[in-house]
PDB file of all heavy atoms in Angstrom:
ATOM      1  N   LEU A  87      31.823  55.382  71.975  1.00 95.00           N
ATOM      2  CA  LEU A  87      30.875  55.739  70.901  1.00 95.00           C
ATOM      3  C   LEU A  87      29.495  55.234  71.284  1.00 95.00           C
ATOM      4  O   LEU A  87      29.340  54.088  71.948  1.00 95.00           O
ATOM      5  CB  LEU A  87      31.271  55.091  69.558  1.00 95.00           C
ATOM      6  CG  LEU A  87      32.395  55.762  68.836  1.00 95.00           C
ATOM      7  CD1 LEU A  87      32.759  54.834  67.605  1.00 95.00           C
ATOM      8  CD2 LEU A  87      31.943  57.108  68.317  1.00 95.00           C
ATOM      9  N   SER A  88      28.474  55.963  71.008  1.00 95.00           N
ATOM     10  CA  SER A  88      27.087  55.454  71.178  1.00 95.00           C
ATOM     11  C   SER A  88      26.635  54.654  69.945  1.00 95.00           C
ATOM     12  O   SER A  88      27.265  54.661  68.897  1.00 95.00           O
ATOM     13  CB  SER A  88      26.100  56.696  71.297  1.00 95.00           C
ATOM     14  OG  SER A  88      26.039  57.390  70.118  1.00 95.00           O
ATOM     15  N   LYS A  89      25.533  53.943  70.195  1.00 94.00           N
ATOM     16  CA  LYS A  89      24.974  53.153  69.062  1.00 94.00           C
ATOM     17  C   LYS A  89      24.617  53.931  67.933  1.00 94.00           C
ATOM     18  O   LYS A  89      24.781  53.606  66.687  1.00 94.00           O
ATOM     19  CB  LYS A  89      23.855  52.318  69.565  1.00 94.00           C
ATOM     20  CG  LYS A  89      23.539  51.117  68.661  1.00 94.00           C
ATOM     21  CD  LYS A  89      22.664  50.097  69.388  1.00 94.00           C
ATOM     22  CE  LYS A  89      22.513  48.798  68.510  1.00 94.00           C
ATOM     23  NZ  LYS A  89      21.741  47.731  69.224  1.00 94.00           N
ATOM     24  N   SER A  90      24.013  55.146  68.131  1.00 95.00           N
ATOM     25  CA  SER A  90      23.661  56.039  67.018  1.00 95.00           C
ATOM     26  C   SER A  90      24.861  56.532  66.244  1.00 95.00           C
ATOM     27  O   SER A  90      24.836  56.592  65.064  1.00 95.00           O
ATOM     28  CB  SER A  90      22.835  57.223  67.568  1.00 95.00           C
ATOM     29  OG  SER A  90      23.617  57.942  68.497  1.00 95.00           O
ATOM     30  N   GLN A  91      25.958  56.814  66.931  1.00 94.00           N
ATOM     31  CA  GLN A  91      27.190  57.180  66.320  1.00 94.00           C
ATOM     32  C   GLN A  91      27.766  56.071  65.510  1.00 94.00           C
ATOM     33  O   GLN A  91      28.312  56.178  64.397  1.00 94.00           O
ATOM     34  CB  GLN A  91      28.215  57.695  67.329  1.00 94.00           C
ATOM     35  CG  GLN A  91      27.909  58.951  67.992  1.00 94.00           C
ATOM     36  CD  GLN A  91      28.894  59.300  69.095  1.00 94.00           C
ATOM     37  OE1 GLN A  91      29.083  58.513  70.009  1.00 94.00           O
ATOM     38  NE2 GLN A  91      29.483  60.532  69.054  1.00 94.00           N
ATOM     39  N   LEU A  92      27.678  54.855  65.991  1.00 94.00           N
ATOM     40  CA  LEU A  92      28.139  53.671  65.299  1.00 94.00           C
ATOM     41  C   LEU A  92      27.328  53.532  64.010  1.00 94.00           C
ATOM     42  O   LEU A  92      27.910  53.195  62.950  1.00 94.00           O
ATOM     43  CB  LEU A  92      27.979  52.435  66.139  1.00 94.00           C
ATOM     44  CG  LEU A  92      28.434  51.042  65.539  1.00 94.00           C
ATOM     45  CD1 LEU A  92      29.897  51.038  65.229  1.00 94.00           C
ATOM     46  CD2 LEU A  92      27.968  49.945  66.402  1.00 94.00           C
ATOM     47  N   ASN A  93      26.050  53.716  64.041  1.00 93.00           N
ATOM     48  CA  ASN A  93      25.159  53.592  62.905  1.00 93.00           C
ATOM     49  C   ASN A  93      25.502  54.563  61.759  1.00 93.00           C
ATOM     50  O   ASN A  93      25.140  54.318  60.573  1.00 93.00           O
ATOM     51  CB  ASN A  93      23.701  53.682  63.327  1.00 93.00           C
ATOM     52  CG  ASN A  93      23.207  52.510  64.155  1.00 93.00           C
ATOM     53  OD1 ASN A  93      23.841  51.395  64.093  1.00 93.00           O
ATOM     54  ND2 ASN A  93      22.245  52.761  64.974  1.00 93.00           N
ATOM     55  N   ASN A  94      26.171  55.681  62.151  1.00 92.00           N
ATOM     56  CA  ASN A  94      26.603  56.630  61.135  1.00 92.00           C
ATOM     57  C   ASN A  94      27.859  56.294  60.417  1.00 92.00           C
ATOM     58  O   ASN A  94      28.209  56.982  59.480  1.00 92.00           O
ATOM     59  CB  ASN A  94      26.720  58.003  61.792  1.00 92.00           C
ATOM     60  CG  ASN A  94      25.364  58.613  62.219  1.00 92.00           C
ATOM     61  OD1 ASN A  94      24.350  58.327  61.600  1.00 92.00           O
ATOM     62  ND2 ASN A  94      25.423  59.355  63.289  1.00 92.00           N
ATOM     63  N   ILE A  95      28.581  55.241  60.885  1.00 91.00           N
ATOM     64  CA  ILE A  95      29.807  54.866  60.225  1.00 91.00           C
ATOM     65  C   ILE A  95      29.442  54.034  58.926  1.00 91.00           C
ATOM     66  O   ILE A  95      28.745  53.060  58.952  1.00 91.00           O
ATOM     67  CB  ILE A  95      30.690  53.986  61.168  1.00 91.00           C
ATOM     68  CG1 ILE A  95      30.989  54.811  62.435  1.00 91.00           C
ATOM     69  CG2 ILE A  95      31.970  53.530  60.418  1.00 91.00           C
ATOM     70  CD1 ILE A  95      31.819  54.011  63.415  1.00 91.00           C
ATOM     71  N   THR A  96      29.911  54.486  57.863  1.00 87.00           N
ATOM     72  CA  THR A  96      29.447  53.971  56.546  1.00 87.00           C
ATOM     73  C   THR A  96      30.183  52.682  56.186  1.00 87.00           C
ATOM     74  O   THR A  96      29.582  51.769  55.463  1.00 87.00           O
ATOM     75  CB  THR A  96      29.680  55.029  55.377  1.00 87.00           C
ATOM     76  OG1 THR A  96      31.032  55.393  55.376  1.00 87.00           O
ATOM     77  CG2 THR A  96      28.773  56.260  55.703  1.00 87.00           C
ATOM     78  N   SER A  97      31.393  52.486  56.564  1.00 89.00           N
ATOM     79  CA  SER A  97      32.141  51.228  56.146  1.00 89.00           C
ATOM     80  C   SER A  97      32.877  50.667  57.352  1.00 89.00           C
ATOM     81  O   SER A  97      33.706  51.340  58.000  1.00 89.00           O
ATOM     82  CB  SER A  97      33.083  51.594  55.043  1.00 89.00           C
ATOM     83  OG  SER A  97      33.857  50.518  54.691  1.00 89.00           O
ATOM     84  N   ILE A  98      32.572  49.480  57.659  1.00 92.00           N
ATOM     85  CA  ILE A  98      33.266  48.817  58.762  1.00 92.00           C
ATOM     86  C   ILE A  98      33.906  47.450  58.231  1.00 92.00           C
ATOM     87  O   ILE A  98      33.228  46.718  57.629  1.00 92.00           O
ATOM     88  CB  ILE A  98      32.300  48.508  59.971  1.00 92.00           C
ATOM     89  CG1 ILE A  98      31.705  49.717  60.529  1.00 92.00           C
ATOM     90  CG2 ILE A  98      32.933  47.572  60.989  1.00 92.00           C
ATOM     91  CD1 ILE A  98      30.599  49.479  61.488  1.00 92.00           C
ATOM     92  N   THR A  99      35.143  47.309  58.575  1.00 91.00           N
ATOM     93  CA  THR A  99      35.833  46.091  58.132  1.00 91.00           C
ATOM     94  C   THR A  99      35.950  45.115  59.317  1.00 91.00           C
ATOM     95  O   THR A  99      36.596  45.453  60.323  1.00 91.00           O
ATOM     96  CB  THR A  99      37.267  46.398  57.588  1.00 91.00           C
ATOM     97  OG1 THR A  99      37.121  47.232  56.492  1.00 91.00           O
ATOM     98  CG2 THR A  99      37.989  45.150  57.130  1.00 91.00           C
TER      99      THR A  99
END
Side-chain angles (χ1 to χ4, degrees):
L87 281 174
S88 67
K89 198 164 188 176
S90 60
Q91 289 173 308
L92 177 68
N93 292 336
N94 290 329
I95 300 175
T96 56
S97 178
I98 298 174
T99 301

